[in-house]
Amino acid sequence: MKIYRIHALICAGGQCISAGGNDFEAALRTEIQKHGLEEEVQIVETGCMGACEMGPMMVVYPEGTLYIHLQPENAKEIVEEHFLKGRKVHQLMWEKAEGHFPTLNEVPFFALQTKIVLRNCGVINPENIEEYIAYDGYTGLAKALGEMTPEDVVAEIEKSGLRGRGGAGFPTGLKWKLTAQAKGDQKYVVCNADEGDPGAYMDRSVLEGDPHTLIEGMAIAGYAVGANQGYVYCRAEYPLAIQRLQKAIQQAKSAGLLGNQILGSRFSFQLQIRIGAGAFVCGEETALLSSIEGKRGEPRKKPPYPATCGLFGKPTLINNVETFANIPVILSKGSSFFNAIGKEGCRGTKVFSLAGHVKTTGLIEVPLGITMKEIIYDIGGGIPGGKVFKGALIGGPSGGVIPSSQLDVPIDYEHLNTLGAIMGSGGLIVMDESSCMVDIAKFFLQFTVGESCGKCTPCREGTRQMYEILDRISCGEGREGDIEKLESLGKVIQDTSLCGLGQSAPNPVLSSIRWFRDEYEAHIKKKVCPAGVCTMTKITTNKEEPRRGRKKASTRTIT
Amino acid sequence: MEEKKHLLEQLHDIQDADKEHHLSPKKVVELSEKHGYSPAKVYGVETFYTMYSTEPRGKHIIRICENQSCHMANAKNIIQHLEKKLETSVGGTTKDGLFTLELSSCLGMCSVSPAMMIDDVPYGNLTEDRINEIIDSYKEGK
């Protein structure tokens, strides 16, 4: 193997690319060539490093120098100063205090995390299976096939205490057990990669940064439940993720880690990608199955649950990307390793995407049970611009608001439920005093109205009614009794909607009323928006109408 | 039944190969006849998903995100600027047929918001100047 003097890891995650990372990389390669350093410096394109706010970014090893906000014109200086002369370019580094430039592992944003799901993201080249294998990749699958029965694997996952990371937190081991016990000549393993929650993008980062961990997790699941066919349903908005996953599937096949008789065992597993076409509701598991079957992505009623009657009517195991990404580690390191992280009832870690009014936005992975305060202030660096924290939205359009009085509550499934929020997929949007709660609630309702598939009435009509009330309030036309109406309507929609989309749609409204009722009252009684966001006057254009999402069928006739 | 190429994928293929990035009635009927679907089924599917268009569109599809974190990062102004720059409104196609402007529910680029995608290429940290630069580069035949 070739030995290089310097390893320059460039983040090639979606966010850094979108901020211009490719242009910097091209410039860096040119400079390296110009100085004849090709034999000394190795450039590695990695997946997402997490600190997206700092992007485009690069880490230079062996020492771990962190360069941030890179532009093509910076390449020359880095090569001439750092790579040739060994002098770090301080003005491009993250500065902790005046004159103090910590290496990657000393920056609090990175130092305070515990990584399982994102263990390889930003470390290895996602397009090279050998790098994944070098980091213990596929040892979990080898262990399962070589040393364990399918029942042993299910038992190990149960012991780990892992719960589904897609939102509801259903115990993963139990789900596997139910699918394994279901009777059927054909079973399927399906990965939900239709990550549509506004504010959440961890699945995208895993797919782009470490696709092999998903493949390994799904293959292990296939072995455990007795399925020989898997599908990854990925949203079409993630072309880079689809491309890297496709490449990884090819590599795994060539290496005998997917396909027939994996690693010489009797277990065979095929994996295919199915691409969505823009429908938020397809993140709901039964709607997703309809979509894989080539139908309109409308949810079905449960029961029967997918574990007994899923894809094409066969027993089907559905987990999301983050859940599957935990599996290889649980198998290779053992359930006791996993079980030691987190707390009773919620073991392991959770990835959150930190966005909004917080200093360092990006992806973080932390042990469950951590407090919101630690996430926002210790890892995220607090609120920028000297402003005051107001609330954090967790769980996207299905979630709720955590007010400043609840910042010390540990983040786990149960505590979040008692606060009227949900874990959801892990979107975490921080808001400072300049945000208006009525505006935020209205915004999410606008989203839900647009994305409701229209199959059941409570969701289709109820969310619309709630939206119209909120719209009135934000235009200064709120009436006495509107808050109560929102509450009762919300309760009915929660209780009577067919699927998770409708059942959770009122959450942002109900939780913001719960914690910020005075703000609603100010809008209604005093006709004032305390944050100064709402116009408080009727806007004449219909631009505020929900205009995204499900289309109305046009009147075109097919002849 | 699952051996048949996935219907959503076939619709993507037809739409991608079409010069005007849309699914014409003729193509839909052809597809349904070829595979034995009823045209109503295919039409039902294509009108359910936002990424399929029954109307002709421009050469490049711009999907601009207006969701929560983008909203908080002033996406509204960015969208207005884009509408002005392109001289069309959301849902419309520019006169030269180069761009169609659409909204997206979330592009998953929440940490570099406001964000948009042009075809398969993501652009984050958008400002009015950056938008001008990007749009001009496409106009110059990138």
Side-chain angles (χ1 to χ4, degrees):
Chain A
M1 207 175 99
K2 221 155 143 187
I3 306 288
Y4 292 89
R5 180 166 64 83
I6 290 171
H7 292 252
L9 273 59
I10 296 185
C11 176
Q15 322 254 344
C16 278
I17 291 177
S18 73
N22 283 349
D23 297 337
F24 169 76
E25 188 185 329
L28 190 72
R29 284 190 191 276
T30 314
E31 287 296 326
I32 286 176
Q33 228 171 16
K34 219 158 84 188
H35 291 90
L37 292 174
E38 297 101 316
E39 299 294 309
E40 292 178 48
V41 181
Q42 187 190 29
I43 294 180
V44 183
E45 277 184 27
T46 71
C48 180
M49 293 181 178
C52 306
E53 183 269 330
M54 301 181 188
M57 59 192 284
M58 172 171 80
V59 184
V60 180
Y61 286 100
E63 75 286 353
T65 308
L66 173 63
Y67 287 120
I68 63 174
H69 299 309
L70 294 167
Q71 296 302 319
E73 55 269 25
N74 303 138
K76 187 169 186 274
E77 194 175 6
I78 291 178
V79 171
E80 290 179 356
E81 286 296 309
H82 187 159
F83 293 179
L84 275 176
K85 300 176 190 158
R87 293 196 290 241
K88 292 179 186 174
V89 187
H90 282 148
Q91 69 267 29
L92 299 173
M93 292 172 67
W94 192 81
E95 191 172 11
K96 189 175 183 185
E98 214 185 302
H100 179 46
F101 302 95
T103 59
L104 182 77
N105 292 330
E106 293 162 357
V107 177
F109 183 87
F110 298 101
L112 299 173
Q113 298 191 46
T114 306
K115 294 198 174 188
I116 296 178
V117 172
L118 301 176
R119 63 194 182 280
N120 293 329
C121 286
V123 179
I124 65 167
N125 176 352
E127 300 198 6
N128 187 345
I129 190 173
E130 285 170 8
E131 295 205 10
Y132 179 71
I133 292 172
Y135 277 81
D136 289 339
Y138 290 106
T139 51
L141 179 64
K143 192 170 165 190
L145 296 180
E147 300 166 21
M148 300 165 85
T149 65
E151 293 78 24
D152 292 340
V153 177
V154 173
E156 193 70 11
I157 300 300
E158 273 196 296
K159 264 195 283 181
S160 74
L162 175 66
R163 294 170 66 172
R165 300 293 192 237
F170 191 81
T172 306
L174 179 59
K175 203 182 226 183
W176 286 34
K177 196 176 180 176
L178 293 171
T179 317
Q181 287 168 348
K183 290 200 166 47
D185 51 342
Q186 170 75 54
K187 292 182 187 177
Y188 298 104
V189 172
V190 171
C191 173
N192 184 346
D194 191 55
E195 177 181 60
D197 266 11
Y201 58 94
M202 57 285 297
D203 293 353
R204 169 198 194 118
S205 287
V206 173
L207 291 166
E208 289 177 0
D210 193 17
H212 284 287
T213 191
L214 174 65
I215 297 172
E216 185 180 0
M218 288 184 75
I220 293 169
Y223 176 70
V225 304
N228 60 12
Q229 174 70 49
Y231 291 101
V232 180
Y233 184 87
C234 185
R235 66 198 300 237
E237 286 89 338
Y238 290 176
L240 181 65
I242 293 167
Q243 182 199 322
R244 289 200 179 143
L245 182 62
Q246 249 156 2
K247 195 166 182 183
I249 289 175
Q250 280 311 322
Q251 290 172 345
K253 268 188 192 159
S254 315
L257 296 160
L258 264 184
N260 294 326
Q261 296 172 338
I262 294 171
L263 293 169
S265 72
R266 277 187 288 175
F267 172 64
S268 300
F269 191 71
Q270 315 292 337
L271 193 55
Q272 283 178 332
I273 303 175
R274 288 284 179 259
I275 300 168
F280 174 71
V281 68
C282 287
E284 195 280 335
E285 57 179 9
T286 60
L288 184 148
L289 295 178
S290 298
S291 188
I292 295 185
E293 292 171 2
K295 298 175 188 156
R296 291 166 68 88
E298 289 176 351
R300 313 165 185 176
K301 71 174 174 36
K302 291 188 278 190
Y305 290 93
T308 50
C309 181
L311 190 63
F312 303 112
K314 307 289 184 191
T316 302
L317 174 75
I318 308 180
N319 282 130
N320 87 332
V321 176
E322 193 184 336
T323 313
F324 279 125
N326 276 298
I327 303 296
V329 177
I330 296 175
L331 267 276
S332 63
K333 296 196 171 175
S335 58
S336 51
F337 164 80
F338 189 83
N339 212 279
I341 302 166
K343 47 182 279 221
E344 184 68 38
C346 55
R347 297 298 181 188
T349 59
K350 176 81 193 82
V351 184
F352 290 100
S353 42
L354 203 49
H357 301 143
V358 62
K359 268 187 195 147
T360 310
T361 55
L363 272 192
I364 53 159
E365 185 171 356
V366 288
L368 280 164
I370 191 172
T371 65
M372 193 67 88
K373 201 181 217 164
E374 290 172 274
I375 291 183
I376 295 172
Y377 289 93
D378 299 346
I379 299 176
I383 316 293
K387 294 203 174 153
V388 176
F389 171 81
K390 183 167 190 177
L393 275 161
I394 185 163
S398 320
V401 193
I402 311 280
S404 54
S405 61
Q406 305 295 324
L407 278 177
D408 286 321
V409 173
I411 298 180
D412 58 52
Y413 297 94
E414 278 67 32
H415 277 102
L416 286 177
N417 281 344
T418 56
L419 293 182
I422 61 164
M423 185 79 77
S425 47
L428 194 54
I429 301 176
V430 180
M431 295 175 297
D432 66 22
E433 53 196 320
S434 67
S435 308
C436 166
M437 285 301 151
V438 177
D439 176 65
I440 299 288
K442 179 180 134 184
F443 200 84
F444 275 129
L445 250 292
Q446 181 184 4
F447 175 82
T448 324
V449 171
E451 295 295 342
S452 169
C453 79
K455 185 171 177 173
C456 73
T457 318
C459 176
R460 186 185 64 238
E461 301 299 334
T463 54
R464 176 102 221 172
Q465 292 302 323
M466 285 182 85
Y467 172 78
E468 281 172 9
I469 296 173
L470 286 166
D471 190 40
R472 258 196 303 109
I473 296 176
S474 72
C475 294
E477 293 178 8
R479 300 174 203 140
E480 201 67 46
D482 272 350
I483 298 180
E484 292 70 24
K485 209 180 272 172
L486 283 172
E487 286 175 323
S488 67
L489 200 49
K491 182 84 181 33
V492 172
I493 298 171
Q494 280 179 332
D495 290 344
T496 54
S497 290
L498 176 65
C499 82
L501 192 157
Q503 287 159 12
S504 60
N507 290 358
V509 183
L510 298 179
S511 100
S512 60
I513 291 179
R514 178 170 165 192
W515 302 111
F516 298 93
R517 201 181 183 99
D518 52 340
E519 222 174 298
Y520 279 81
E521 284 170 351
H523 281 76
I524 295 171
K525 291 181 185 158
K526 298 186 194 147
K527 312 288 179 206
V528 173
C529 174
V533 175
C534 300
T535 54
M536 302 310 286
T537 49
K538 192 82 191 157
I539 298 166
T540 42
T541 62
N542 58 356
K543 276 218 156 161
E544 293 291 295
E545 283 285 290
R547 53 181 175 178
R548 178 186 39 228
R550 307 273 62 70
K551 299 176 284 188
K552 290 198 178 69
S554 70
T555 47
R556 193 187 82 192
T557 32
I558 294 180
T559 45
Chain B
M1 126 164 119
E2 66 221 82
E3 295 305 316
K4 226 189 275 181
K5 205 174 174 191
H6 189 221
L7 179 55
L8 270 67
E9 219 171 309
Q10 295 181 54
L11 290 172
H12 275 305
D13 289 348
I14 294 172
Q15 183 165 274
D16 291 347
D18 184 68
K19 263 196 201 144
E20 294 176 315
H21 288 109
H22 84 304
L23 297 162
S24 65
K26 190 170 158 253
K27 290 271 171 60
V28 169
V29 173
E30 271 173 22
L31 176 76
S32 52
E33 278 171 358
K34 194 169 145 198
H35 293 286
Y37 304 124
S38 74
K41 176 188 161 138
V42 180
Y43 186 63
V45 170
E46 66 162 291
T47 50
F48 184 84
Y49 298 92
T50 53
M51 283 185 148
Y52 301 128
S53 177
T54 53
E55 307 296 330
R57 290 185 289 181
K59 187 177 170 199
H60 301 291
I61 314 289
I62 303 178
R63 289 195 181 88
I64 181 133
C65 180
E66 61 149 3
N67 228 291
Q68 197 62 51
S69 43
C70 287
H71 175 66
M72 284 164 63
N74 229 343
K76 221 179 214 173
N77 292 357
I78 292 292
I79 294 170
Q80 275 169 7
H81 177 76
L82 202 50
E83 288 181 328
K84 212 167 86 190
K85 170 89 185 161
L86 298 171
E87 294 173 19
T88 184
S89 50
V90 168
T93 301
T94 51
K95 276 188 211 118
D96 56 5
L98 202 53
F99 302 100
T100 295
L101 180 61
E102 295 183 353
L103 289 178
S104 168
S105 59
C106 179
L107 295 171
M109 303 202 293
C110 317
S111 291
V112 289
S113 51
M116 68 174 178
M117 279 177 92
I118 300 185
D119 304 325
D120 281 355
V121 184
Y123 296 94
N125 298 330
L126 294 176
T127 57
E128 296 190 355
D129 290 344
R130 187 140 195 257
I131 284 187
N132 294 344
E133 238 170 70
I134 295 165
I135 297 294
D136 291 342
S137 75
Y138 276 83
K139 279 188 180 163
E140 284 153 20
K142 185 184 162 184

